[in-house]
């Protein structure tokens, strides 16, 4: 386990030496939401394969890079291409970048993702502020010997998504004329989409959206005391709600069609982050 910390230190040292300073906010760009990176000025793009000990993206055609630069007047780092459990990665790999951000000293994380709508009041193209999550079906990323240097054995998750940042996000949405829903994000491991019965069960448990990322990253961020804000893009209605099959193409297409709305909301939020 000390080995993990040493590996992280090497990654952090590399990034510190080649970047301008410490970003205020790390932003994880979900599938189809990568265009936000185009708004980052003075971009310094670092492919994952150039970063010591950083995991490599396994999926052909998927970009993997960290982008350092200014979004408005904030120095940020955006992560284009994340690591999913369904790709076969261990949880330690899935959450590695978050630990790197934490060890760099970054105190704020904005997570975004594409998700299926479980709440039948939602429609594809909606944006949802994540109020809380359900993740207990999956392996906890903190399983194993605790990394005491990073955080406590039993971290609190009672307010995983920072309440003041939620309020700020809702205010920003209102200012930008964007209808921002809010709800509970439920994590499923994938890669198959869920069955209609699973979606019905998740709805009964209180889920509003479902996706294959985010929860492990948020748990690890909270372990390190990083403040988290999460936004889902509802790219499709979850299985069984509409009488039609689910496809990855639908997810990517909706993601593309809301990219503009999504990136203006994110820019507004980053600009007013406090
Ligand atoms: N289920 C799981 N993950 C997803 C979905 C979904 O319906 N849509 C986008 N990511």
């Amino acid at each position: 386990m000390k080995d993990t910390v040493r590996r992280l230190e090497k990654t952090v040292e590399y990034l510190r030496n080649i970047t301008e300073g410490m970003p205020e906010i790390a932003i994880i760009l979900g599938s189809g939401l990568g265009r936000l990176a185009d708004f980052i000025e003075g971009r310094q793009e670092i492919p994952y394969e150039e970063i010591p000990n950083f995991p490599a993206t396994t999926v052909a055609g998927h970009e993997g890079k960290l982008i350092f630069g200014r979004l408005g007047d904030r120095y940020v780092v955006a992560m284009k291409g994340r690591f999913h459990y369904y790709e076969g990665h261990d949880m330690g790999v899935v959450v590695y970048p978050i630990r790197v951000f934490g060890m760099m000293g970054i105190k704020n994380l904005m997570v975004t993702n594409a998700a299926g709508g479980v709440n039948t009041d939602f429609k594809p193209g909606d944006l949802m502020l994540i109020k809380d999550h359900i993740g207990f079906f999956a392996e906890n990323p903190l399983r194993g010997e605790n990394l005491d240097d990073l955080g406590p054995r039993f971290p609190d998750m009672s307010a995983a998504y920072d309440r003041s940042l939620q309020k700020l996000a809702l205010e920003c949405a209102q200012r930008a004329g964007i209808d921002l829903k809010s709800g509970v994000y439920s994590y499923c491991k994938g890669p198959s989409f869920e069955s209609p019965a699973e979606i019905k069960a998740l709805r009964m448990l209180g889920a509003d959206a479902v996706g294959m990322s985010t929860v492990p990253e948020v748990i690890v961020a909270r372990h390190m005391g990083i403040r988290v804000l999460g936004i889902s893009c509802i790219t499709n209605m979850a299985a069984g709600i509409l009488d039609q099959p689910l496809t990855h193409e639908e997810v990517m297409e909706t993601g593309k069609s809301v990219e503009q709305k999504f990136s203006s909301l994110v820019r507004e939020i980053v600009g007013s982050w406090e």
Side-chain angles (χ1 to χ4, degrees):
M1 281 300 147
K2 280 273 171 272
D3 194 43
T4 306
V5 175
R6 263 196 296 274
R7 286 171 56 79
L8 283 160
E9 279 168 352
K10 189 153 179 229
T11 308
V12 169
E13 191 192 337
Y14 172 83
L15 291 172
R16 277 214 186 108
N17 284 336
I18 65 163
T19 55
E20 267 177 44
M22 209 240 310
E24 275 184 83
I25 309 167
I27 308 170
I28 306 182
L29 303 173
S31 345
L33 304 169
R35 244 190 51 197
L36 177 81
D38 300 343
F39 294 96
I40 298 178
E41 287 165 8
R43 279 200 292 279
Q44 182 182 13
E45 305 195 355
I46 311 169
Y48 293 163
E49 60 267 25
E50 288 178 13
I51 308 173
N53 294 335
F54 214 77
T57 26
T58 56
V59 190
H62 268 228
E63 270 188 306
K65 56 188 176 189
L66 293 183
I67 303 160
F68 290 78
R70 302 206 155 265
L71 194 55
D73 59 355
R74 302 299 176 96
Y75 188 56
V76 302
V77 55
M79 191 177 155
K80 198 167 181 181
R82 53 150 60 100
F83 304 100
H84 301 87
Y85 187 74
Y86 66 71
E87 292 172 69
H89 298 300
D90 288 340
M91 277 299 183
V93 171
V94 172
V95 301
Y96 190 86
I98 312 302
R99 288 185 161 150
V100 169
F101 297 149
M103 284 184 60
M104 286 179 82
I106 299 174
K107 299 274 187 293
N108 300 287
L109 175 70
M110 178 151 178
V111 275
T112 70
N113 59 50
V118 174
N119 183 330
T120 52
D121 291 339
F122 291 174
K123 56 182 189 315
D126 279 346
L127 299 180
M128 185 194 88
L129 175 69
I130 305 178
K131 284 194 306 189
D132 201 353
H133 67 226
I134 299 175
F136 50 39
F137 309 119
E139 182 185 316
N140 193 296
L142 301 176
R143 176 175 172 268
E145 190 187 332
N146 186 48
L147 299 176
D148 295 328
D149 295 348
L150 306 191
R153 170 75 294 188
F154 300 108
D156 179 33
M157 291 292 141
S158 51
Y161 301 83
D162 189 275
R163 296 212 176 106
S164 59
L165 291 175
Q166 286 187 49
K167 187 162 167 277
L168 182 121
L170 289 165
E171 286 163 4
C172 287
Q174 198 172 28
R175 257 205 314 275
I178 293 168
D179 175 25
L180 180 61
K181 315 280 189 202
S182 60
V184 173
Y185 175 92
S186 173
Y187 174 65
C188 285
K189 296 191 288 284
S192 60
F193 286 115
E194 305 70 36
S195 70
E198 285 166 345
I199 294 303
K200 204 167 154 190
L202 288 174
R203 189 179 303 116
M204 293 197 298
L205 290 177
D208 296 289
V210 61
M212 304 176 195
S213 67
T214 302
V215 172
E217 297 155 340
V218 170
I219 291 173
V220 163
R222 292 306 301 142
H223 181 236
M224 300 181 85
I226 297 171
R227 292 165 78 213
V228 176
L229 176 69
I231 296 184
S232 293
C233 168
I234 306 297
T235 51
N236 58 282
M237 294 315 289
I241 296 178
L242 304 176
D243 190 18
Q244 65 185 47
L246 272 183
T247 63
H248 181 58
E249 285 66 37
E250 181 186 359
V251 170
M252 297 309 282
E253 263 168 41
T254 316
K256 258 203 167 59
S257 73
V258 296
E259 251 187 337
Q260 193 145 358
K261 172 169 79 165
F262 188 80
S263 64
S264 44
L265 178 61
V266 173
R267 279 178 291 149
E268 185 78 31
I269 292 171
V270 166
S272 6
W273 199 286
E274 48 196 34

